[in-house]
Amino acid sequence: MKAKNIGEFRHYEFCRFCGLKTTPVLDLGYMPLAGGFLKTPKLIDKEKFYPLMLTFCKNCFLLQTSDVIDKDILFQNYFYKTSAIQTLVQHFEKIGDELVKSFNGTRKIKVLEIGCNDGSFLKYLLKVGFDAYGVDPATNIVSSLTPKLPIHNDYFGLKTAQKIKRDKGTYDIICSFNTLAHIEDMHEIFKSIKLLLKSNGILVFENQYLGTLIKSNLYDTIYHEHQYYYSALTIRNFIKQFDMEIFDIVFSNIHGGSIRFYIQNKNTGIHKIQKRIKNIFANELKNKFDQIYTYRLLAKRIKRQRKQLISIVKKLIKDGKTIAGYGASGRGTIIMNYCGFDSNTLDYVIDDAPAKIHSYTPGNHLPIVPSSILMTDKKTDYIILFAWTFRDEIEEKCRLYKQNGGKFILPLPKVTIV
Ligand SMILES: [Zn+2]
């Protein structure tokens, strides 16, 4: 086998939140970038791999990746588009409606979205009457949207925050979805947020929840972009140093299980601290999110999960069955590479995102094809649903495939054939 081409990365022995030494808990080995889809087979030789390891901080309970890749490699050419996923668009509309309800004054409310991606949420905010502005570094996504949509194409950080403050002033709401776990220097991010947030303003941000990773062994959410895995305890510890406090927490099913924090400046008393968050902290302590052995056990369960999926797939292949994948997503990249699935295992991976069709999956180089292939290809017996968190949407799309006897393999949270 050809040796893997190892890319450049920064290795951390210490916690990026509190600076103390961390302990490794799970090593997934060298992995390609989850979103490193290859446009042509020629690019295979140039493909790079990076270590993917999680470490735990016994001091502030942060679970982080030990190795960080430069942000220009990760984000300037981003592969993920919100609007491609209907479930996400609806999720944002619901959050937008909630914000409208809690800010129903006569004054125009100013909202800044960090990591606005293709503007799905921004458009909704504008539609409901907010004065909304977005920031996103992915030039490939943002360039066609501006100037129609008010988006600043850059990384969010102190320099950007200073510019926005000069041009636009401060904000009532700063929000961010699936972004604030993707940034190496969270100290700078919070300093920038403080600069732009009105003293009575709120910060709303949502990320995948550490509790779901632990409960459902979601190793497919572990990738280089996801540098942090947040619990309520970790965020409470971290934001103290910025004189901020959590006043509410909402859980949602999006991305297989997410946590949404509502944060305000400390001692402003503007928003009452919701009683339920006390229970959330207590529950995390009860489930030992502050203990290293919780993460050692998680690593064991993840390894077992991988073994199960590999053995089912091996058996099907031995029985002469044909298998494909569904969802050329970061999750798919991780599952396939961690389980060692290649062209001897899967024929292709289905995805309808125009930017991905006719590209190749990272690491194992399978062709990506549109779902219409299921109309003509009658020989695929099983499809591994890498995009299992959007199962309902996909099953509806593939009704005919199922009616014709096709089966899905769910890789997570439990390896199941449906
Ligand atoms: Zn720490």
Side-chain angles (χ1 to χ4, degrees):
M1 212 179 92
K2 232 177 111 226
K4 281 180 180 172
N5 196 357
I6 310 300
E8 277 179 38
F9 56 89
R10 273 181 295 283
H11 178 74
Y12 286 87
E13 295 278 330
F14 57 86
C15 168
R16 293 193 287 281
F17 275 19
C18 77
L20 293 193
K21 197 164 167 18
T22 52
T23 313
V25 287
L26 175 65
D27 187 359
L28 298 185
Y30 285 91
M31 286 276 183
L33 292 181
F37 298 96
L38 305 161
K39 289 261 172 232
T40 70
K42 271 190 200 152
L43 295 168
I44 290 173
D45 281 345
K46 289 195 184 129
E47 188 178 35
K48 300 226 162 79
F49 291 75
Y50 305 86
L52 187 55
M53 185 172 20
L54 294 185
T55 57
F56 178 68
C57 172
K58 290 178 197 160
N59 180 51
C60 74
F61 320 138
L62 176 67
L63 188 67
Q64 69 175 18
T65 53
S66 59
D67 301 282
V68 176
I69 303 164
D70 198 79
K71 59 184 190 297
D72 286 346
I73 297 174
L74 287 180
F75 297 118
Q76 256 187 358
N77 217 342
Y78 206 39
F79 70 101
Y80 195 93
K81 269 199 181 186
T82 307
S83 60
I85 302 159
Q86 197 49 35
T87 318
L88 263 183
V89 176
Q90 286 159 0
H91 176 65
F92 283 147
E93 288 178 1
K94 216 178 109 212
I95 297 171
D97 289 343
E98 281 165 20
L99 290 175
V100 170
K101 250 192 240 156
S102 51
F103 282 85
N104 59 349
T106 46
R107 189 172 58 87
K108 198 142 178 126
I109 298 297
K110 285 175 71 187
V111 189
L112 176 72
E113 188 188 3
I114 304 168
C116 63
N117 193 267
D118 63 3
S120 297
F121 189 46
L122 212 56
K123 274 187 229 160
Y124 195 73
L125 292 172
L126 292 166
K127 197 175 109 189
V128 296
F130 285 132
D131 176 4
Y133 194 56
V135 184
D136 202 289
T139 309
N140 66 319
I141 292 178
V142 171
S143 61
S144 62
L145 303 170
T146 52
K148 229 176 126 199
L149 274 178
I151 298 174
H152 181 70
N153 179 208
D154 207 341
Y155 294 103
F156 186 71
L158 272 176
K159 217 176 94 211
T160 300
Q162 278 152 358
K163 182 175 165 28
I164 293 175
K165 193 172 179 182
R166 269 197 313 274
D167 296 349
K168 306 257 175 197
T170 51
Y171 285 82
D172 301 288
I173 304 170
I174 295 180
C175 59
S176 188
F177 301 93
N178 263 306
T179 302
L180 293 195
H182 296 43
I183 303 174
E184 186 172 4
D185 187 352
M186 285 300 290
H187 293 265
E188 180 177 343
I189 296 302
F190 266 79
K191 278 180 208 153
S192 310
I193 287 170
K194 288 286 277 195
L195 194 70
L196 285 173
L197 191 65
K198 288 183 181 173
S199 58
N200 61 353
I202 65 166
L203 165 68
V204 183
F205 78 93
E206 183 172 74
N207 277 102
Q208 277 164 356
Y209 181 44
L210 173 75
T212 333
L213 168 69
I214 294 175
K215 191 173 153 220
S216 307
N217 314 318
L218 302 187
Y219 63 89
D220 64 338
T221 63
I222 302 170
Y223 39 99
H224 299 103
E225 285 98 316
H226 295 167
Q227 300 177 25
Y228 307 106
Y229 301 80
Y230 292 145
S231 64
L233 290 171
T234 311
I235 292 300
R236 181 174 68 176
N237 284 337
F238 183 62
I239 64 173
K240 259 187 214 157
Q241 55 189 307
F242 301 96
D243 257 335
M244 296 180 106
E245 63 187 0
I246 303 171
F247 66 90
D248 202 3
I249 289 174
V250 175
F251 291 105
S252 73
N253 288 328
I254 207 79
H255 297 299
S258 295
I259 183 165
R260 190 157 72 245
F261 296 98
Y262 291 81
I263 290 170
Q264 64 184 348
N265 285 306
K266 222 172 179 174
N267 302 323
T268 53
I270 309 261
H271 299 276
K272 213 173 128 237
I273 295 183
Q274 297 296 312
K275 279 198 188 105
R276 61 175 166 213
I277 70 172
K278 245 189 170 169
N279 295 334
I280 294 170
F281 295 130
N283 199 42
E284 289 187 353
L285 287 170
K286 198 181 112 204
N287 286 300
K288 311 233 177 335
F289 286 11
D290 57 337
Q291 304 288 324
I292 191 150
Y293 74 79
T294 303
Y295 302 90
R296 295 208 196 283
L297 288 177
L298 170 68
K300 265 193 191 159
R301 291 195 304 272
I302 286 174
K303 281 174 197 158
R304 201 184 311 140
Q305 197 105 2
R306 168 172 72 166
K307 233 172 145 181
Q308 273 174 5
L309 184 59
I310 293 173
S311 83
I312 283 183
V313 164
K314 266 191 179 161
K315 189 178 176 303
L316 290 173
I317 288 174
K318 214 176 131 208
D319 294 348
K321 305 291 183 199
T322 51
I323 310 175
Y326 200 115
S329 59
R331 288 171 180 272
T333 302
I334 298 302
I335 297 173
M336 288 190 287
N337 284 281
Y338 185 50
C339 294
F341 296 157
D342 57 15
S343 56
N344 295 318
T345 324
L346 306 178
D347 295 333
Y348 50 79
V349 175
I350 297 167
D351 202 297
D352 283 326
K356 289 180 197 157
I357 294 171
H358 306 310
S359 303
Y360 296 83
T361 55
N364 60 349
H365 317 134
L366 301 180
I368 300 170
V369 298
S371 61
S372 55
I373 193 165
L374 295 176
M375 303 297 220
T376 48
D377 172 20
K378 301 273 188 270
K379 66 177 180 37
T380 294
D381 303 305
Y382 289 81
I383 291 176
I384 307 180
L385 205 50
F386 298 128
W388 61 272
T389 55
F390 299 103
R391 177 180 165 186
D392 293 349
E393 205 176 318
I394 294 167
E395 279 202 305
E396 180 60 33
K397 237 182 182 177
C398 302
R399 232 177 0 195
L400 209 63
Y401 166 75
K402 282 207 86 173
Q403 275 168 10
N404 290 335
K407 290 204 157 47
F408 285 117
I409 303 171
L410 300 178
L412 281 159
K414 218 174 150 230
V415 182
T416 328
I417 296 177
V418 292

